[in-house]
Amino acid sequence: MKINACIFDLDGVIVDTAKYHYLAWKALADKLGFEFTEVHNERLKGVSRMDSLEILLEVGGITHLSEEEKLKHAADKNELYVSFIKKMPADEILPNVREFLNDLRENGIKISLGSASKNAEMILEKLELMPLFDAIVDGRHISNAKPDPEVFLRGAQELGEAPENCVVFEDAQAGVQAAKNAGMACVGIGDAETLGLADFVMPGFEKFTFADLKAQLNK
Ligand code: BG6
Ligand code: MG
């Protein structure tokens, strides 16, 4: 395939924020009185804040909350999450991600963010990564959550590229599915068992270059 653009999920791909999302949701589950494990948490990855809350409540068997109570719980979770993020050291960027983004730019590849998070810009600014992105599509711009392809199709559109020339990097099942629904190639970041739909899966970006990406996708 001809690669013209790369679209990156944020949480769990660029930066190790997935653990802070988990800790903040777990604090809510503790408050509501049920156990919420990392296995349960896998279902929340890539999923919007309110949809994540619905999954968490389903895990806890909690069915009788008003819309107002749900909004309050989601706001509390976000407040706790943002407090973790504010304390996050700048080196929480995952290994070799900055170098890989620079390598893409040097090869003339366009770069977009494709994240469900409404906190995305704040995080990219904190990590001083904003200048490396040609477009930002995040939870504030989309109405259909992953696995709907909207977030990635919009990224391709903003970059002026056809979906078949775009590669998505994703750590979530819902995100890999969204990339495939968009007709894009997808690199899974994590383990192959969870992300089996991706074109190939790797644990992270360590030692990974644009040349490796081309080789993997054109095997
Ligand atoms: C995704 C995360 O990137 O963003 C989800 O994988 C999270 O876990 C979602 O729920 C929404 O994030 P936020 O920051 O808007 O609550
Ligand atoms: Mg993610």
Side-chain angles (χ1 to χ4, degrees):
M1 73 174 280
K2 170 105 178 70
I3 305 168
N4 292 344
C6 288
I7 307 181
F8 290 80
D9 175 49
L10 175 70
D11 296 310
V13 170
I14 290 178
V15 62
D16 198 7
T17 39
K19 64 182 180 214
Y20 298 122
H21 277 296
Y22 171 61
L23 289 176
W25 284 126
K26 193 174 167 349
L28 174 61
D30 288 347
K31 192 162 84 184
L32 295 172
F34 61 90
E35 200 190 349
F36 188 71
T37 67
E38 296 204 41
V39 174
H40 294 134
N41 188 60
E42 207 52 48
R43 290 173 63 198
L44 271 52
K45 288 189 180 169
V47 177
S48 73
R49 197 180 303 164
M50 290 312 288
D51 289 349
S52 295
L53 176 67
E54 292 296 342
I55 296 171
L56 179 121
L57 294 174
E58 185 197 303
V59 169
I62 294 178
T63 50
H64 298 300
L65 293 185
S66 66
E67 267 321 293
E68 210 183 334
E69 286 168 314
K70 286 182 187 175
L71 287 170
K72 174 80 173 72
H73 285 316
D76 287 350
K77 178 268 169 178
N78 192 53
E79 201 179 307
L80 182 58
Y81 173 69
V82 169
S83 78
F84 293 148
I85 294 302
K86 289 208 164 131
K87 284 184 275 178
M88 173 177 85
D91 63 5
E92 286 275 29
I93 180 167
L94 286 161
N96 204 43
V97 169
R98 195 185 300 273
E99 292 77 1
F100 182 64
L101 291 170
N102 277 315
D103 186 25
L104 292 178
R105 293 193 73 84
E106 280 160 20
N107 281 282
I109 304 300
K110 295 178 192 165
I111 304 175
S112 174
L113 190 80
S115 165
S117 174
K118 294 183 172 159
N119 295 302
E121 256 190 47
M122 176 192 65
I123 294 170
L124 290 182
E125 260 160 24
K126 195 171 157 56
L127 300 172
E128 296 174 1
L129 285 175
M130 284 292 273
L132 295 179
F133 285 82
D134 300 295
I136 303 283
V137 183
D138 65 35
R140 297 165 312 164
H141 310 115
I142 51 160
S143 32
N144 301 298
K146 299 168 188 177
D148 189 283
E150 183 184 1
V151 66
F152 297 137
L153 290 175
R154 177 127 181 214
Q157 197 184 14
E158 294 213 358
L159 297 175
E161 293 296 341
E164 62 264 32
N165 299 123
C166 296
V167 183
V168 170
F169 294 84
E170 257 296 347
D171 72 317
Q173 270 171 8
V176 173
Q177 184 67 62
K180 289 287 121 194
N181 289 343
M184 297 180 182
C186 185
V187 179
I189 305 296
D191 71 275
E193 217 172 291
T194 319
L195 306 174
L197 260 186
D199 294 81
F200 72 96
V201 181
M202 58 187 193
F205 290 90
E206 260 160 315
K207 298 202 178 113
F208 193 67
T209 63
F210 178 58
D212 297 328
L213 179 67
K214 277 196 295 192
Q216 285 285 350
L217 291 176
N218 290 307
K219 259 185 187 167

